[in-house]
Amino acid sequence: MRTHYCAQVNETHIGEEVTVAGWVSSRRDHGGLIFIDLRDKDEVVQLVCDPADSAEAHKLAEDVRDQFVLIATGKVRARGEGLENPRLKTGKIEIVVEKLVIENRSKPMPFDLGDERVNEEIKLKHRYLELRTQKSYDIFKLRSKATIAARNALDELGFLEVETPIITKSTPEGARDYLVPSRVHHGEFYALPQSPQLFKQLLMVGGFDRYFQIAKCFRDEDLRADRQPEFTQIDVEMSFCDQEDVIAIAEKLLHDVFTACGFDIPATFKRMPHFEAMEKYGSDKPDMRYDLAMVDVIDIFERCDNEIFSNIAKSPKKNRIKALRVPKGDEIFSKRQMKGFEDYVRKFGAQGLGYFQMKEDGLKGPLTKFFTDEDIQLIIDRCELEVGDAVFFGAGEKKLVWDYMGRFRIFLAETMEIIPKDKFEFLWVVDFPMFEVEDGQVKALHHPFTQPKSLDYEDIEEIESIAYDIVLNGTELGGGSIRIHKEDIQSEIFKLLGIGEEEAQDKFGFLLDALKYGAPPHGGFAIGLDRLIMLMTGASSIRDVIAFPKTQKAQCLLTQAPSEVDPEQLKELHLRVRQQPAT
């Protein structure tokens, strides 16, 4: 149908006849000559319809409009002097059309392609049109290249690609399952997998040694910019390994993927214990492209004359008082702005936000009157304050302070526009707590199959796991752990989580049984492919890198899913829809 893609036509083809095909990007009638920019998958070429060369083609071109599908045959010629377009690969030539076929017409477009101001719902409703833009094509071209590079890298490292079930048993893994009713087994349900976690462990028990999969995962949870109800991850598991072995594989994989996509990243990444990340940055996924680290000043505030701060400081195990130094902050922010920052942190539960300004004649601010000169100097020294700096203070319960001061750090960096846009900063966060306690209930921080470093403890929240997350530019790219491979340890973890023997056998019996048959030591990781591509392309949302994404309400505006189904289908599945009561 065509002899060349648009991008392939260049000066070497001058004088030759070529056939190209694609969509009309624009049409310009110059009073006799009609110019058409024709675009295919990744480039535009200029067509010239001249009645002197082909009256028939010129007549057809008069009817052509944007996004018509054309097939054009003609001779390649050099553009006239001063008429070249250096922005295009094809900018030095044009095709003089001898034969033109309007293969298909297009209705007027519902929006201008590439217009960033268009409402996202309109774009998602016509997603196939948004995919027609150069930006979208480049994203999915890179996604394809990254996925192929991941497969090649893992294949070279001896990993075997194995598919695991998409309809499986519902198990508690942190998020809500999507359920699939069984037609054959009345009243029973499958679940779509939140991850292939249990199956990849069973593959290790089965002796597969090294497994990977580009896996579809499903979680029925509240959505945001980097979450979708269905997503894709690069899933990896290996036997007879420790944490260092797994991290080395993950670093090699990411290095190969980024290199294949034309990016330069280090071969190994920095590491930080989870506790340090929380204490310094208030986050288990800190963005390391900029500093703004928090400093602990609770011991200094314990001696101050302000009862609110001194009472908080009397319980340093459960409470925190953190200082956040902003270099030149006193010069950047007005007093009104600094007072206004309090409104920001209050949205996340803070009771207030204190601040000092470093002036030529010393530390100034409404709180200085509560401190001795010696403690004022100690604050200056510990925070490494210089003239022109500002320092902010957050006080309260430990997890609350970590959260709102961590958010405030990001807010300040965005406000000051100090975050580099063209930099990839990787970080391993290691030594995660095994458990967290919420409202008196013990929960696994990662998942209940994570190997603890030791079960010798006084406080259950002090148990560390052999778990690790890979963070890129403040986004959790993925993570993993060394798994429990001994039945007695797994049973003990279930007990600590309040999962009795009967419940454990009901929900995880197949895994517990497998661990009795010589399970090898094993571990692995998973990397979110969608998030990876989002960060590599600089996309603002994960929806931009998924071909047919859902909205934040988990709806597909293109197909109108979810939707009602035929009552007969429900009857076959032994289901009945309950009507919501009127409000």
Side-chain angles (χ1 to χ4, degrees), residues 227-369:
R227 279 186 183 170
Q228 279 279 290
E230 54 182 317
F231 57 95
T232 307
Q233 66 185 31
I234 306 171
D235 204 53
V236 180
E237 196 80 4
M238 52 196 288
S239 294
F240 300 104
C241 62
D242 57 22
Q243 177 174 288
E244 294 304 313
D245 297 323
V246 177
I247 285 178
I249 291 291
E251 290 177 341
K252 175 70 166 61
L253 169 63
L254 285 167
H255 187 268
D256 283 4
V257 169
F258 273 78
T259 300
C261 294
F263 299 105
D264 184 24
I265 66 167
T268 58
F269 309 148
K270 298 173 185 176
R271 299 189 194 184
M272 183 180 294
H274 176 269
F275 185 74
E276 181 182 342
M278 299 305 297
E279 291 286 354
K280 284 187 174 181
Y281 304 104
S283 172
D284 58 5
K285 46 181 183 296
D287 191 339
M288 303 305 293
R289 289 175 294 175
Y290 56 94
D291 191 16
L292 296 182
M294 295 187 293
V295 176
D296 201 347
V297 290
I298 195 167
D299 57 318
I300 304 173
F301 275 69
E302 187 179 8
R303 299 189 292 272
C304 78
D305 293 333
N306 184 300
E307 286 190 6
I308 295 175
F309 286 115
S310 61
N311 285 337
I312 290 171
K314 287 176 183 176
S315 303
K317 187 172 182 181
K318 72 172 185 175
N319 294 334
R320 290 292 184 273
I321 301 180
K322 290 290 184 179
L324 182 59
R325 173 203 171 213
V326 181
K328 302 302 178 185
D330 186 37
E331 300 173 5
I332 297 170
F333 304 124
S334 65
K335 269 191 178 181
R336 184 175 180 179
Q337 277 182 295
M338 286 193 272
K339 288 179 180 177
F341 290 154
E342 188 170 35
D343 295 332
Y344 176 80
V345 297
R346 283 186 186 277
K347 292 189 294 185
F348 306 106
Q351 295 299 306
L353 184 73
Y355 68 91
F356 290 153
Q357 300 149 286
M358 190 64 191
K359 305 287 189 180
E360 290 281 358
D361 56 344
L363 206 59
K364 305 296 179 182
L367 296 177
T368 53
K369 62 186 177 184

Side-chain angles (χ1 to χ4, degrees), residues 376-412:
I376 289 288
Q377 187 58 49
L378 192 54
I379 290 172
I380 293 172
D381 293 342
R382 187 170 298 178
C383 298
E384 300 180 351
L385 296 177
E386 298 178 0
V387 174
D389 292 351
V391 60
F392 298 91
F393 299 93
E397 190 274 328
K398 176 176 66 177
K399 290 183 179 179
L400 179 64
V401 172
W402 282 347
D403 180 61
Y404 75 74
M405 289 298 282
R407 293 174 186 269
F408 183 50
R409 170 182 179 262
I410 298 170
F411 173 76
L412 287 173

Side-chain angles (χ1 to χ4, degrees), residues 511-525:
L511 176 64
L512 295 175
D513 289 344
L515 295 180
K516 299 173 183 177
Y517 292 96
H522 59 283
F525 63 91

Side-chain angles (χ1 to χ4, degrees), residues 21-25 37-41 67-70 132:
W23 289 264
V24 175
S25 284
D37 287 342
L38 191 73
R39 179 189 174 275
D40 57 17
K41 62 186 179 69
Q67 301 305 315
F68 276 29
V69 180
L70 305 183
R132 207 178 280 180

Side-chain angles (χ1 to χ4, degrees), residues 78 163 232 458 493:
E163 293 180 351
T232 307
E458 292 183 7
I493 295 300

